[in-house]
């Protein structure tokens, strides 16, 4: 039988779905985190959300740290708890909000792996694009690299999202936010070739308006898109193996290396915060340092 804490978590999940419009991934993660908190609280005799206090929350997070949870996981669990206690406080189920007293663990952010500009050119210029699947795969990789879209965003594209006349694509991003992203001529040409000579060979009654299709004619699934990227990179050889997210990182890094400003890159990538985009300045700085070490007579240490 569910206790009051479990009921509160369930109600919070409904709130996130209906009113916050969080992504399915975030919803699953938050509810998993709060389920863990509920189990811990129950183990120490707390089954009513009104009994949550900062001592219990800190003890739970300390246990997570002792279990070896990563800083990224601890940061997300802290965020989940803060959102939960804030919701309880606003509903009058908590007199004070203990989440406000929690510190935020700093997430360790590794510099993302990226292609060099030469590697990106070699990948896209030498790919085997024979047949419907070859045309599709080239269009997929060109679109990833040209636009920096997330894998879920690419798979969600419909045919009429692409405006070849204006050289743009309409992207539905996180939180239902829509943005318009420029598409270069090579990517637009690859997509047009796919639409002309590739998609008609795979289309079925169940294809709908999906821009990219799987081998059976349904909308391309993110798992399949990831497999396409890994497979095609491996076929070319002598190119760093990356996921679709790595192509997104590569697009952002090369934009900055080419002189784009941070605000423009933020808009293209669909980042809600400029702080997220600033990560790429560190990537570019690392590249510059590497070039300096290799090229400057006093660059080596």
């Amino acid at each position: 039988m569910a206790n009051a804490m479990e009921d509160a978590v369930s109600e919070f999940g409904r709130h996130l779905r209906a009113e916050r419009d969080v992504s399915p991934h975030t919803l699953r993660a938050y509810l998993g985190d709060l389920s863990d908190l509920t189990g811990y609280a129950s183990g120490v005799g707390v089954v009513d959300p009104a009994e949550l206090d900062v001592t219990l929350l800190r003890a739970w997070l300390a246990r997570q740290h002792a279990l070896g949870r990563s800083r990224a996981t601890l940061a997300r669990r802290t965020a989940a708890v803060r959102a939960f206690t804030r919701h309880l406080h606003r509903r009058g189920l908590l007199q004070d909000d203990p989440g406000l007293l929690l510190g935020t663990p700093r997430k360790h952010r590794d510099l993302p792996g990226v292609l060099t500009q030469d590697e990106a050119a070699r990948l896209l210029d030498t790919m085997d694009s024979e047949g419907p699947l070859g045309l599709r795969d080239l269009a997929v990789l060109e679109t990833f690299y040209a636009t920096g879209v997330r894998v879920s965003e690419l798979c969600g594209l419909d045919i009429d999202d692409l405006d070849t006349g204006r050289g743009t694509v309409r992207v539905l991003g996180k939180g239902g936010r829509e943005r318009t992203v420029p598409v270069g001529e090579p990517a637009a040409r690859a997509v047009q070739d796919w639409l002309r000579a590739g998609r008609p060979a795979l289309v079925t009654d169940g294809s709908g308006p999906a821009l990219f299709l799987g081998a059976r004619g349904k909308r391309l699934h993110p798992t399949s898109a990831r497999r396409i990227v890994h497979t095609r990179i491996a076929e070319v050889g002598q190119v760093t193996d990356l996921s679709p997210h790595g192509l997104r990182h590569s697009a952002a890094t090369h934009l900055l290396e080419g002189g784009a400003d941070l605000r423009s890159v933020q808009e293209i990538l669909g980042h809600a915060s400029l702080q997220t985009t600033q990560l790429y300045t560190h990537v570019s700085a690392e590249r510059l340092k590497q070039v300096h070490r290799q090229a400057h007579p006093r660059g080596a240490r």
Side-chain angles (χ1 to χ4, degrees):
M1 181 177 178
N3 59 39
M5 187 85 76
E6 292 169 341
D7 289 340
V9 170
S10 297
E11 191 276 329
F12 178 60
R14 291 191 291 273
H15 163 74
L16 290 178
R17 267 188 296 265
E19 300 178 35
R20 294 279 299 277
D21 194 27
V22 300
S23 71
H25 174 76
T26 299
L27 179 64
R28 284 194 302 272
Y30 273 28
L31 292 182
D33 294 340
L34 295 174
S35 175
D36 192 285
L37 171 64
T38 299
Y40 177 83
S42 178
V44 296
V46 174
V47 295
D48 189 331
E51 298 177 61
L52 284 176
D53 59 25
V54 69
T55 301
L56 185 147
L57 298 180
R58 284 174 175 164
W60 174 65
L61 289 170
R63 175 172 170 74
Q64 303 301 305
H65 184 271
L67 290 171
R69 305 291 186 239
S70 70
R71 277 183 286 186
T73 298
L74 289 172
R76 191 199 65 227
R77 294 198 161 184
T78 302
V81 168
R82 279 178 162 169
F84 181 50
T85 58
R86 181 170 61 246
H87 177 69
L88 295 177
H89 178 59
R90 287 175 176 173
R91 289 195 58 222
L93 298 176
L94 271 175
Q95 184 174 354
D96 299 306
D97 182 359
L100 294 174
L101 302 176
L102 295 177
T104 302
R106 291 190 59 142
K107 290 201 288 186
H108 177 67
R109 305 195 74 171
D110 293 324
L111 293 175
V114 295
L115 299 176
T116 65
Q117 294 186 33
D118 286 343
E119 284 179 327
R122 185 160 66 250
L123 169 65
L124 298 171
D125 292 343
T126 63
M127 260 185 62
D128 178 9
S129 58
E130 291 295 317
L133 294 181
L135 290 170
R136 179 203 62 187
D137 292 358
L138 178 59
V140 164
L141 266 71
E142 285 276 16
T143 302
F144 271 133
Y145 180 59
T147 63
V149 292
R150 303 174 177 92
V151 64
S152 59
E153 294 171 345
L154 178 130
C155 293
L157 291 176
D158 290 336
I159 293 174
D160 63 1
D161 288 328
L162 181 68
D163 186 336
T164 54
R166 298 177 60 192
T168 60
V169 63
R170 183 173 61 240
V171 179
L172 188 63
K174 286 185 175 180
R177 292 188 294 270
E178 187 178 291
R179 67 187 189 277
T180 299
V181 180
V183 179
E185 184 178 338
R189 185 168 58 247
V191 174
Q192 287 292 82
D193 289 344
W194 150 248
L195 290 174
R196 175 182 52 81
R199 191 179 186 277
L202 298 180
V203 70
T204 67
D205 291 340
S207 298
L211 176 58
F212 294 115
L213 304 177
R216 297 182 180 179
K218 294 183 179 179
R219 183 182 292 275
L220 186 66
H221 191 275
T223 300
S224 298
R226 293 186 185 97
R227 184 167 57 247
I228 288 168
V229 172
H230 287 297
T231 300
R232 291 301 187 170
I233 288 177
E235 287 176 355
V236 170
Q238 297 184 323
V239 173
T240 305
D241 182 34
L242 291 178
S243 66
H245 205 61
L247 290 180
R248 175 173 164 85
H249 286 314
S250 300
T253 301
H254 297 168
L255 281 167
L256 287 168
E257 289 176 347
D261 63 272
L262 270 177
R263 286 288 182 189
S264 297
V265 176
Q266 178 189 7
E267 290 184 24
I268 289 171
L269 297 182
H271 286 154
S273 168
L274 188 63
Q275 184 178 4
T276 306
T277 316
Q278 285 174 332
L279 170 66
Y280 297 103
T281 62
H282 301 308
V283 179
S284 296
E286 285 299 312
R287 283 284 187 85
L288 290 174
K289 285 162 61 178
Q290 182 180 359
V291 169
H292 185 271
R293 284 194 296 268
Q294 293 174 348
H296 196 281
R298 293 182 179 273
R301 290 186 177 182

